[in-house]
Amino acid sequence: VMDLAGQASLGHSDSAHERRSLLTVREIATVGGLVHLVMLVQFALLGPKQLAWFNVGSVLLFVVARQWTVRGHRLMALIPMQLEVMSHQIYAVHLLGWDAGFQDWLLCLTLSYLLFPRHHRRLATATVALAAMAYVVLYLRYFGKPPNHPLPSVVQKAMGLGNRLGTGLFVSGMAVYYGLAADRAERALQTAHQRVEELLHNILPPSVAARLKEHPTQPHATSATEATVMFADLVGFTSWALHASPETVVQTLDRLFTDLDALVERFGLEKIKTIGDAYMVAAGVPSPRADHVEVMALLALEFQKLMASRADGFQMRIGLHTGPVVAGVIGRKKLAYDLWGDTVNTAARMESHGLPGQIQVSEAVKSRLSARFLLRSRGLLDVKGKGPMETWILEGLAEDRAAAQK
């Protein structure tokens, strides 16, 4: 369950990363197009004219790249923009020199690694390496040398300052953006982890779930020398379901089992499973408790009261037995905590050989119940697979009958 849920949460995280990266590339294309438009005007007024014409192509390229992102093609937008940035900066440094600061934009390309799809990391690495090589070559070729197209000193310094401020803002913006994205991802993972914990605890007892997480590949089996098992089955439900709609069948069982779950949780017992319209509960596993027989008898009486309060007229046949059981987790994909042993089989026979609306218990259960419980002998009953067995009907609590008589 942990593996499957983890894979599901990672899949969700991947899709969120894809959406964020696509939107980021779209925003970069929009801002990049506007920046190149400003540079087009700047170079048209101040020169060199070659860079003005270069920026005409750059603006068109960024417009097309943005349209690619609208269509969902991140890579088709990202690679042309990267090639444009590299060629633009190389050409600008060649004309205006190192002091104009255009080479700093090449360092910003290293952050584009984060924007590449996960399955294109090699391509991202190659483009980052190419940008780094271009920076080194430009440094060796143009650092400390006069520009091929000199500009007025004030313009040159202003351009260098603007480029350095622009690259600083870009790097800071990307850092803040991905910092916030990392926070969102961490919160999403925490939420997913909490859901996994809740799911796991809905399937398995907390103590069993804890051992399973610590040792996921080891078999989980325990034995309990004393435990009480109850089976409860709806009488006539199968025949009724033949004439009811699927929605009605599921809704009826869902409402009933939800109420039964609440009672089991209130008594601190362990719901094992449902089998069709049958319901199985255990007391004394996985955590032992001295009053497992009495608390199960109290739960069975509450089940009986619940059925009497329902308007659908269904009756429940309930059977109890107590004794040793083996408990464990089976499966690797659809995990299940289950019980095995003669105690389980006998409890199932107590239910199947019982009476509608009655709670039938074995001699072992009767002998463990105090005088607080009212029991009536049903005599010897020929139980399938067991032979003659003394069985008893649990009729209620002595204090309830005394209160009713008053």
Side-chain angles (χ1 to χ4, degrees):
V1 171
M2 291 292 289
D3 287 344
L4 292 175
Q7 290 168 10
S9 66
L10 284 175
H12 174 75
S13 176
D14 284 346
S15 62
H17 172 79
E18 293 293 321
R19 289 192 299 271
R20 284 196 304 270
S21 298
L22 182 63
L23 291 175
T24 303
V25 173
R26 186 179 305 168
E27 292 164 1
I28 290 174
T30 303
V31 175
L34 294 174
V35 169
H36 281 82
L37 183 61
V38 172
M39 295 174 71
L40 188 159
V41 175
Q42 169 188 299
F43 290 127
L45 295 175
L46 302 176
K49 300 297 183 183
Q50 302 97 306
L51 283 177
W53 285 111
F54 195 104
N55 277 276
V56 171
S58 299
V59 171
L60 293 176
L61 184 145
F62 274 81
V63 170
V64 173
R66 189 184 187 284
Q67 289 304 114
W68 278 117
T69 65
V70 171
R71 298 182 181 183
H73 301 293
R74 177 165 35 128
L75 199 61
M76 292 293 292
L78 191 57
I79 292 179
M81 286 195 298
Q82 284 194 317
L83 293 176
E84 188 282 333
V85 170
M86 278 191 276
S87 58
H88 187 283
Q89 309 325 308
I90 291 172
Y91 192 41
V93 173
H94 171 70
L95 292 176
L96 301 177
W98 185 267
D99 292 340
F102 284 94
Q103 68 281 350
D104 291 347
W105 290 101
L106 293 173
L107 300 178
C108 295
L109 287 180
T110 58
L111 294 175
S112 64
Y113 183 91
L114 302 171
L115 301 174
F116 271 82
R118 296 182 187 277
H119 53 284
H120 287 294
R121 291 305 197 198
R122 291 183 179 178
L123 181 60
T125 303
T127 58
V128 168
L130 186 61
M133 290 174 59
Y135 186 91
V136 172
V137 171
L138 290 175
Y139 176 82
L140 295 175
R141 175 69 179 82
Y142 296 102
F143 181 76
K145 297 180 180 179
N148 293 318
H149 191 288
L151 294 174
S153 177
V154 174
V155 175
Q156 186 89 354
K157 290 180 179 179
M159 193 173 292
L161 179 62
N163 280 320
R164 287 172 176 83
L165 284 176
T167 54
L169 288 173
F170 178 80
V171 171
S172 300
M174 289 289 286
V176 170
Y177 178 83
Y178 274 94
L180 294 174
D183 289 340
R184 288 195 300 268
E186 185 175 353
R187 288 194 296 270
L189 285 174
Q190 289 175 348
T191 301
H193 178 73
Q194 182 62 34
R195 290 176 180 172
V196 169
E197 290 289 323
E198 292 173 357
L199 173 63
L200 196 60
H201 290 164
N202 284 335
I203 298 174
L204 303 173
S207 60
V208 175
R211 290 198 301 270
L212 181 66
K213 287 188 291 184
E214 291 177 2
H215 308 287
T217 60
Q218 296 180 5
H220 297 270
T222 58
S223 61
T225 56
E226 290 189 358
T228 301
V229 180
M230 177 176 76
F231 281 91
D233 186 68
L234 287 177
V235 179
F237 185 85
T238 302
S239 57
W240 171 84
L242 293 174
H243 306 288
S245 66
E247 293 79 9
T248 302
V249 172
V250 173
Q251 289 174 1
T252 300
L253 284 177
D254 179 65
R255 285 194 294 265
L256 174 60
F257 286 172
T258 299
D259 292 339
L260 297 181
D261 289 346
L263 288 173
V264 171
E265 186 174 0
R266 193 179 94 193
F267 281 88
L269 302 184
E270 192 63 43
K271 173 186 174 182
I272 302 302
K273 59 185 173 183
T274 58
I275 311 165
D277 58 347
Y279 195 95
M280 180 182 176
V281 189
V285 288
S287 300
R289 54 186 300 173
D291 63 342
H292 59 91
V293 179
E294 289 197 0
V295 73
M296 186 66 85
L298 291 172
L299 178 65
L301 292 172
E302 289 297 321
F303 275 22
Q304 202 174 52
K305 291 178 184 178
L306 173 65
M307 297 306 300
S309 68
R310 292 173 61 88
D312 51 27
F314 283 116
Q315 290 184 307
M316 184 170 275
R317 194 169 51 232
I318 301 175
L320 277 68
H321 184 58
T322 187
V325 297
V326 173
V329 177
I330 57 174
R332 284 292 178 268
K333 292 188 177 295
K334 293 186 177 181
L335 302 178
Y337 179 73
D338 211 344
L339 305 181
W340 300 273
D342 183 68
T343 299
V344 177
N345 297 333
T346 303
R349 293 289 182 260
M350 289 295 102
E351 176 273 311
S352 62
H353 289 71
L355 301 172
Q358 302 292 315
I359 304 169
Q360 181 165 259
V361 305
S362 63
E363 175 68 25
V365 172
K366 185 263 180 187
S367 64
R368 296 286 298 273
L369 292 177
S370 65
R372 179 188 179 193
F373 294 89
L374 299 174
L375 295 113
R376 171 174 53 86
S377 175
R378 197 182 172 197
L380 285 175
L381 188 68
D382 189 16
V383 177
K384 181 180 178 181
K386 302 292 294 184
M389 290 185 66
E390 185 78 19
T391 61
W392 301 77
I393 301 298
L394 175 60
E395 295 186 328
L397 295 173
E399 59 259 35
D400 291 344
R401 178 169 295 182
Q405 289 175 350
K406 291 180 180 180

